[in-house]
Amino acid sequence: MSTLETKDSPPVTMTPKLYIQTNGCQMNDYDSDKMRDVLHASHGFELVDDPKQADVLLLNTCSIREKAQEKVFSALGKWRIIKTKRPNVIIGVGGCVASQEGADLQKRAPFVDIVFGPQTLHRLPQLLDQVRLQQKPVVDISFPEIEKFDALPEPRAEGVKAFVSVMEGCSKYCSFCVVPYTRGEEISRPVNDVIAEIRALAKQGVREVNLLGQNVNAYRGALADGDIAEFSLLLHCVAAIEGIDRIRFTTSHPVEFTDSLIEAFAEIPKLVNHLHLPVQSGSNRILKMMKRGHQREDYIETIRKLRLVRPDICLSSDFIIGFPGETDAEFEETMDFINDIGFDLSFSFIYSPRPGTPAADLVDDIAPEIKKQRLERFQQRINEMTAAISHSMIDTVQTVLVEGQAKKNPLQMQGRTENNRVVNFIGHPRLAGHFVDVYIAEALPNSLRGRLISTADSLINTDSTAPTQQYA
Ligand code: SAH
Ligand code: F3S
């Protein structure tokens, strides 16, 4: 028997094994955790790192750009070999490609047993039983309103940070984007459901939450009395939860960045001094073609107001380079724009036509080399600005949420600043899960190095035997 055959032989233990590959955004990471949780609660599945050891293989897909979509069939190609050797293995495909392709996906990959969408992942246990019973594939890519969240088990915290989905979908229909088609229209979870989930996480030691949604500031969640809360009110409710001391959100849209949200930044110190606000382009004509619903000046005005209440706020954004018809001059407008605003680490991609979106019908006559050159120049400038922000943090004291031991040096602890910089410093493992003050001594390309100067929360006061001080 060859080594490969040994590795591929069926798992010997009774605990069913699950392998999940996640492509795409933070929303997909969140959804994959939920897939793990539902299958653990229903069938006792445990996650494994090796697809060859799993009984069920799930691929959580992304279709935002062509490259992301291509990954689906290369992963499935590998899994087909596993299934040929172990025909009882169940293969499921979820996420945005599944939502878009539905039953067509099985035509191209007939060995796929389950196709499920982002809104039906909570039905995985039933879909799995159905496949096993009927011995034929199933497809469920419907959009059953908010049912998904009602059907999910209690959240399981892993570490000091957690994502919490507050709304799903998008109703903006930017001309280039597939999200409204794959994830459906905007729908918000009721306030009490979000609060209950965060309270449960806080009890398990979570100190920082990242409120997730395609457009979190389009949040319109029902209150217990039937009134509707907007996002700023939700932020106030989350800030009142004991144990949660840091709040982030991803992602917001410039059009709904209301004055009440700016006031929230003034009134809620737990809201981090960091904002990711996608803008896509600095050219008004391109913004219009993208159907973004605002102009460059509106974005500048929002940032001006925000900086009145948070002068040092760090800003990051998403950009699409080489949208159909983008001229040299329009690209330069984007370059001027980033220089004027000053952005931290941001995401930028060359435009990728997505089938079924209005922009896919536009004439795109910019040569690929030109797009590549623009992207390189753009990213170089963003990288310079990112490095400048890191350097400006040298000789300052930052509040760091300690996540655990540094990977490369067990004597060091690792945490993050409000603007999401990784900081390594010598410290006791007991600091994990606590906020500490760290003096920043050095800025490296991907992290900062610092010295612990004090704990910002009550760690030392509550236990005088804590050996924290000797590491200062
Ligand atoms: N509101 C969501 C947007 C999700 S898409 C959010 O801000 O997270 C994430 C980013 O992918 C977008 O902001 C955009 O910059 C990029 N993107 C979306 N469609 C794209 C396309 N067709 N080509 C290139 N980039 C795209
Ligand atoms: Fe996509 Fe625009 Fe919505 S980028 S997710 S359609 S705001």
Side-chain angles (χ1 to χ4, degrees):
M1 192 182 266
S2 76
T3 337
L4 196 66
E5 276 164 349
T6 314
K7 268 193 193 159
D8 282 350
S9 49
V12 280
T13 56
M14 294 307 285
T15 311
K17 304 266 193 313
L18 172 68
Y19 178 83
I20 307 182
Q21 178 176 323
T22 311
N23 301 340
C25 62
Q26 287 154 332
M27 193 67 101
N28 270 13
D29 287 333
Y30 179 84
D31 282 351
S32 289
D33 286 350
K34 298 295 162 190
M35 293 173 200
R36 174 202 65 198
D37 290 352
V38 281
L39 288 174
H40 176 75
S42 65
H43 292 70
F45 274 95
E46 293 295 344
L47 269 193
V48 288
D49 297 334
D50 179 5
K52 294 198 192 92
Q53 295 302 311
D55 307 285
V56 170
L57 300 167
L58 297 180
L59 182 58
N60 194 1
T61 61
C62 170
S63 60
I64 200 80
R65 285 170 295 273
E66 197 179 353
K67 272 218 178 98
Q69 188 145 357
E70 278 166 8
K71 286 189 190 161
V72 174
F73 291 98
S74 65
L76 286 179
K78 289 184 196 136
W79 290 5
R80 189 166 66 118
I81 301 169
I82 296 178
K83 182 135 176 155
T84 315
K85 293 186 176 156
R86 290 169 43 218
N88 287 338
V89 164
I90 306 266
I91 297 182
V93 180
C96 289
V97 177
S99 170
Q100 220 171 9
E101 303 277 315
D104 284 350
L105 209 146
Q106 272 163 334
K107 281 193 202 130
R108 217 172 132 185
F111 51 92
V112 169
D113 302 287
I114 307 174
V115 178
F116 60 103
Q119 314 301 342
T120 47
L121 65 90
H122 59 287
R123 294 182 184 160
L124 267 173
Q126 294 89 308
L127 297 172
L128 186 61
D129 291 343
Q130 207 178 322
V131 168
R132 283 181 170 155
L133 198 71
Q134 300 172 353
Q135 297 285 314
K136 61 173 200 224
V138 289
V139 178
D140 185 352
I141 51 162
S142 53
F143 290 108
E145 288 275 294
I146 205 79
E147 175 191 302
K148 164 176 156 185
F149 291 107
D150 294 339
L152 292 174
E154 275 271 291
R156 284 198 287 169
E158 278 173 80
V160 298
K161 302 190 296 187
F163 287 111
V164 175
S165 173
V166 302
M167 58 83 67
E168 287 255 345
C170 182
S171 310
K172 300 288 179 293
Y173 293 92
C174 299
S175 65
F176 52 82
C177 184
V178 289
V179 170
Y181 311 98
T182 57
R183 286 194 173 259
E185 297 245 323
E186 287 157 4
I187 173 139
S188 302
R189 295 176 73 188
V191 174
N192 279 346
D193 289 11
V194 175
I195 299 305
E197 180 164 340
I198 299 176
R199 279 209 185 109
L201 290 166
K203 278 204 190 110
Q204 297 171 59
V206 167
R207 307 288 310 267
E208 172 183 314
V209 282
N210 193 332
L211 307 179
L212 269 191
Q214 300 300 333
N215 278 309
V216 282
N217 51 340
Y219 180 83
R220 303 279 178 278
L223 287 157
D225 62 7
D227 275 359
I228 297 294
E230 54 180 67
F231 188 57
S232 51
L233 179 55
L234 181 73
L235 286 172
H236 280 279
C237 297
V238 174
I241 297 174
E242 206 179 316
I244 299 299
D245 289 300
R246 216 182 235 186
I247 306 170
R248 304 181 187 276
F249 55 82
T250 326
T251 303
S252 46
H253 192 288
V255 164
E256 274 145 334
F257 216 91
T258 56
D259 287 347
S260 73
L261 192 44
I262 289 170
E263 274 162 33
F265 274 94
E267 291 162 2
I268 306 175
K270 289 179 181 182
L271 255 183
V272 290
N273 228 3
H274 184 240
L275 170 69
H276 183 72
L277 189 60
V279 63
Q280 318 298 353
S281 170
S283 150
N284 279 338
R285 192 186 74 90
I286 297 293
L287 284 171
K288 201 161 172 219
M289 301 269 286
M290 289 176 165
K291 295 216 179 76
R292 289 291 290 177
H294 69 88
Q295 299 222 304
R296 160 194 183 117
E297 292 74 20
D298 302 319
Y299 191 97
I300 292 172
E301 178 57 11
T302 301
I303 300 307
R304 189 192 66 79
K305 286 199 255 178
L306 188 60
R307 281 180 168 153
L308 287 178
V309 301
R310 290 285 184 107
D312 304 325
I313 194 158
C314 239
L315 297 166
S316 59
S317 196
D318 292 347
F319 297 87
I320 295 180
I321 305 297
F323 189 76
E326 181 192 69
T327 63
D328 277 338
E330 285 162 349
F331 171 67
E332 294 306 331
E333 286 183 62
T334 301
M335 291 299 289
D336 289 346
F337 181 77
I338 61 169
N339 287 327
D340 288 353
I341 298 259
F343 283 102
D344 198 1
L345 189 72
S346 294
F347 300 103
S348 50
F349 296 96
I350 290 178
Y351 167 73
S352 168
R354 305 315 295 131
T357 60
D361 298 330
L362 296 173
V363 178
D364 185 4
D365 54 5
I366 315 160
E369 312 83 76
I370 302 281
K371 294 191 184 199
K372 238 178 110 201
Q373 281 165 16
R374 286 181 190 166
L375 183 72
E376 271 166 23
R377 232 185 95 203
F378 180 89
Q379 291 185 335
Q380 197 185 345
R381 184 69 196 115
I382 288 282
N383 289 346
E384 283 166 14
M385 289 196 274
T386 306
I389 293 174
S390 294
H391 279 274
S392 74
M393 293 169 77
I394 295 175
D395 282 338
T396 66
V397 174
Q398 300 286 325
T399 304
V400 170
L401 174 55
V402 186
E403 293 175 11
Q405 274 170 304
K407 283 175 207 96
K408 288 187 192 148
N409 180 350
L411 283 180
Q412 288 193 341
M413 296 302 285
Q414 187 169 85
R416 280 187 192 255
T417 60
E418 286 196 28
N419 62 353
N420 237 343
R421 296 285 189 289
V422 170
V423 182
N424 293 307
F425 60 95
I426 305 234
H428 193 281
R430 253 198 83 171
L431 294 173
H434 292 269
F435 287 92
V436 295
D437 287 340
V438 176
Y439 168 80
I440 305 300
E442 208 180 332
L444 306 169
N446 297 313
S447 63
L448 304 172
R449 271 203 202 124
R451 277 196 300 277
L452 180 69
I453 55 170
S454 75
T455 58
D457 63 11
S458 57
L459 181 66
I460 292 176
N461 297 342
T462 54
D463 181 357
S464 58
T465 61
T468 316
Q469 297 289 32
Q470 73 192 60
Y471 289 87

